[in-house]
Amino acid sequence: MVDPVVHIANLTIQYGKDTVLQDLNWQIFPGEQWILGGPSGTGKTTLAKAISGQLKYEGEITFHLDPTSPLPAKIHYVSNWFQFTNLEGDRNFYYQQRYNKFAKNDTLTVFAELKHFAQEEQLSFENVRSYLNIFGFENFKDQQLIELSSGEHKRLQLIKALWLQPQVLIIDQPYTGLDAQSREDLNQIFDQLADKGVTFLLISNDDEQPDCINRFAEIQHGKIVIRQNSNELSRGLPRTRKALPYFLQRAPEVTSPIMVKMNKINISYGEKQVLKNIDWEVKAGEKWLLQGHNGSGKSTLLSLINGDHPQAYANDIHLFGKKRGSGESIWDIKEHLGIISPELHWYYDMNANVGQTIASGFFDSMSLYQRLGFEQQQKLEQILHFFDLKEVKHKTLGSLPLGQQRLVLLARTIVKHPELLILDEPCQGLDKEQTQYFNDVIDDLSKSGQTLIYVGHFQTQLPTCIDNKIVLEKGEVKAVFEVIHKKEALST
């Protein structure tokens, strides 16, 4: 009889008073390739961390790895969020630090990180070159880890995992931050490694999946439930669409008919040019989709708008009617806009409670340091009710499922009713129902004249209000056009 590669018996995990997994039993056998799906918040990431030895638990988890296999007898886990450290092992970074040239030497370079991993796992550099090429990392070797976006960090962790080729590979949300071509390439690699004997457990609700997948499961009431195919995986409960809070039903105050104007923008890091001769204008009331392959310069472009990038002063940029560098502070800029991004989520204070997190949006801070006035308190309560967050108001942000954390940060973004919303991959970590709800909210906000810049790779995860599109390629504007026939235009 064949032993299971992974055997789980009576697994129970609690966070405080909340039981996440309860007497869970599961076996994964050689040749099985699993997708673990189902609604956000059911315990999928918790289970993955337990299997990979990152969480304490009650019960039993045993492994039967093959000592005769050419593959390393290892269980390797790629998390949805990767927390790197500086050279002293500290994780205390701040949001704008990745753009600060004086702070960059505080972390390893990509090359040093790969070299360290190769030494630790006894790997040959020759075997990683193809993955560096596929994921567009050939030119990243000399960059500091702190300079990478969250999507770039995810690709780096995927490169290391695929290079290692362990007997069991667990990947949480494998397609996060990947463009269409990268997702296709990744699925081909999964199929190749499955043929070599790698056993996969992919935590995913995406419609895309590699051909090698042959088993499906989800977690219900803390226990594993086996499904026959991906169509049988449960969906989250549709959220009831509510009327926006009253203060969000009117148009935001607009200070200039042209909110963003860029003329011949050029940004370089050393010899590497990230943006080349960018011209772009965003008028009040427009809804823009910003797209481009991984590494095309989208995050850098947005950092010029939200005031975080110091090279903005050396370029011809007008924001909200004023030339950048004409005496305004970074806080003067942030007063006009609300932003949500994987990076902001990454650096946010996870120990702040939900109420504090949302209220910090009034002050553009990464935690709440000021008392709220009466009107602000009223708006906070309306937002908590609108997003069904009243019951978790006093829970810490880090204690919530990732999808619910992202909704809290959306609430933070809109609570001050900014004239410009910047939403950078806002639906990462949300299940399909949460994504639909999120985009319904954006569509409702757009009806009152909200100006929007939206970044999204997945065509099925976009709001319907988009009316303009700009596409970057290798730091240059590849295309700019008005969206008329929306399905066709957004799918190009």
Side-chain angles (χ1 to χ4, degrees):
M1 185 175 177
V2 179
D3 289 327
V5 180
V6 181
H7 178 82
I8 303 172
N10 302 317
L11 180 68
T12 298
I13 296 179
Q14 289 183 300
Y15 290 137
K17 297 179 180 179
D18 297 328
T19 300
V20 181
L21 304 177
Q22 178 72 51
D23 294 326
L24 183 146
N25 298 285
W26 194 20
Q27 296 184 104
I28 298 176
F29 287 91
E32 294 182 342
Q33 310 296 345
W34 287 86
I35 276 187
L36 181 60
S40 174
T42 54
K44 301 185 292 294
T45 295
T46 297
L47 177 57
K49 288 182 175 179
I51 295 173
S52 60
Q54 296 187 18
L55 282 181
K56 292 182 179 180
Y57 57 83
E58 296 178 12
E60 184 180 358
I61 302 178
T62 55
F63 307 102
H64 299 280
L65 303 175
D66 184 359
T68 66
S69 170
L71 302 176
K74 293 178 176 288
I75 315 288
H76 189 79
Y77 171 59
V78 178
S79 65
N80 193 26
W81 293 90
F82 174 68
Q83 291 291 333
F84 62 94
T85 63
N86 65 12
L87 298 178
E88 297 179 351
D90 189 11
R91 292 179 178 173
N92 188 27
F93 299 106
Y94 59 89
Y95 181 47
Q96 291 86 6
Q97 190 171 347
R98 58 189 293 242
Y99 304 113
N100 186 342
K101 65 180 180 180
F102 300 108
K104 285 178 181 176
N105 292 331
D106 199 29
T107 60
L108 290 174
T109 63
V110 170
F111 179 78
E113 173 76 4
L114 292 173
K115 184 177 180 181
H116 174 73
F117 188 71
Q119 291 173 340
E120 196 174 60
E121 302 294 345
Q122 298 181 329
L123 300 172
S124 168
F125 252 95
E126 287 302 314
N127 296 332
V128 77
R129 297 189 190 283
S130 62
Y131 298 129
L132 291 174
N133 181 58
I134 288 170
F135 289 103
F137 253 75
E138 314 95 317
N139 299 322
F140 279 80
K141 289 184 180 179
D142 295 326
Q143 282 196 258
Q144 302 284 323
L145 293 181
I146 198 170
E147 294 179 83
L148 304 182
S149 68
S150 67
E152 288 161 350
H153 269 289
K154 184 59 176 280
R155 282 186 284 149
L156 180 58
Q157 299 318 304
L158 286 172
I159 287 169
K160 289 162 61 177
L162 301 173
W163 184 17
L164 178 62
Q165 299 185 15
Q167 290 188 28
V168 178
L169 181 50
I170 306 169
I171 306 180
D172 198 342
Q173 305 299 335
Y175 307 108
T176 292
L178 297 184
D179 57 47
Q181 185 59 55
S182 297
R183 298 196 299 269
E184 184 178 326
D185 291 338
L186 182 59
N187 281 339
Q188 290 179 3
I189 296 170
F190 285 156
D191 291 337
Q192 293 165 4
L193 295 187
D195 289 339
K196 286 186 176 183
V198 176
T199 295
F200 285 102
L201 171 57
L202 305 181
I203 300 175
S204 176
N205 283 308
D206 293 313
D207 293 330
E208 298 183 42
Q209 61 190 43
D211 293 336
C212 65
I213 295 297
N214 53 28
R215 297 289 187 275
F216 303 87
E218 62 181 287
I219 299 173
Q220 287 189 347
H221 308 297
K223 294 179 170 59
I224 282 288
V225 178
I226 308 301
R227 300 300 187 196
Q228 294 304 308
N229 54 60
S230 58
N231 293 329
E232 291 187 3
L233 294 171
S234 298
R235 299 169 66 91
L237 293 175
R239 298 175 68 92
T240 303
R241 197 164 182 174
K242 301 177 182 177
L244 287 171
Y246 180 74
F247 74 94
L248 292 175
Q249 292 180 20
R250 65 178 188 272
E253 294 183 13
V254 174
T255 55
S256 172
I258 299 177
M259 294 194 180
V260 178
K261 187 174 180 60
M262 296 183 171
N263 299 305
K264 299 292 183 289
I265 302 303
N266 289 279
I267 299 292
S268 297
Y269 299 138
E271 296 181 357
K272 181 183 177 184
Q273 191 163 9
V274 181
L275 295 178
K276 307 173 188 175
N277 296 320
I278 300 291
D279 292 317
W280 189 24
E281 187 173 278
V282 177
K283 298 184 178 72
E286 291 182 335
K287 286 82 180 169
W288 282 87
L289 175 64
L290 169 60
Q291 287 191 321
H293 294 303
N294 296 129
S296 61
K298 300 185 299 298
S299 294
T300 302
L301 185 64
L302 293 181
S303 71
L304 294 171
I305 299 172
N306 64 38
D308 289 327
H309 205 298
Q311 292 190 44
Y313 294 105
N315 282 275
D316 186 3
I317 302 174
H318 287 74
L319 300 176
F320 310 105
K322 293 183 179 180
K323 189 178 190 308
R324 189 77 171 97
S326 58
E328 82 291 350
S329 72
I330 187 175
W331 305 111
D332 292 331
I333 294 170
K334 291 184 180 295
E335 190 177 312
H336 298 278
L337 57 84
I339 184 168
I340 183 171
S341 70
E343 286 74 36
L344 184 141
H345 191 167
W346 203 359
Y347 288 103
Y348 200 85
D349 180 5
M350 290 290 117
N351 293 317
N353 68 36
V354 169
Q356 292 168 336
T357 299
I358 297 173
S360 71
F362 288 119
F363 312 107
D364 305 304
S365 58
M366 297 298 278
S367 194
L368 184 62
Y369 308 108
Q370 303 181 45
R371 293 180 63 86
L372 299 183
F374 176 78
E375 185 177 347
Q376 291 171 328
Q377 189 66 51
Q378 294 301 306
K379 290 179 179 179
L380 173 62
E381 293 303 319
Q382 290 179 46
I383 285 283
L384 286 165
H385 171 73
F386 178 74
F387 282 103
D388 297 320
L389 293 170
K390 281 202 167 187
E391 290 186 3
V392 296
K393 178 181 178 180
H394 299 293
K395 286 192 173 185
T396 63
L397 187 63
S399 70
L400 302 182
L402 184 63
Q404 199 169 27
Q405 290 180 29
R406 191 57 61 89
L407 291 176
V408 171
L409 290 176
L410 173 63
R412 173 190 180 273
T413 302
I414 66 175
V415 71
K416 68 174 182 180
H417 201 16
E419 55 189 291
L420 173 62
L421 269 183
I422 300 177
L423 305 179
D424 185 1
E425 295 283 1
C427 294
Q428 283 187 15
L430 304 189
D431 60 33
K432 292 178 181 177
E433 285 64 41
Q434 288 173 324
T435 296
Q436 183 61 54
Y437 174 75
F438 184 103
N439 285 327
D440 285 346
V441 172
I442 302 307
D443 284 333
D444 287 344
L445 285 169
S446 75
K447 295 173 184 175
S448 66
Q450 180 71 60
T451 309
L452 173 69
I453 299 174
Y454 195 108
V455 181
H457 285 304
F458 288 85
Q459 309 305 332
T460 57
Q461 296 183 358
L462 299 174
T464 61
C465 63
I466 300 296
D467 51 26
N468 291 280
K469 179 175 175 179
I470 181 170
V471 182
L472 298 185
E473 185 174 289
K474 296 180 180 178
E476 298 182 273
V477 175
K478 179 183 178 183
V480 178
F481 54 87
E482 185 178 357
V483 176
I484 301 174
H485 303 293
K486 297 202 172 182
K487 287 187 178 179
E488 293 80 359
L490 296 178
S491 64
T492 56

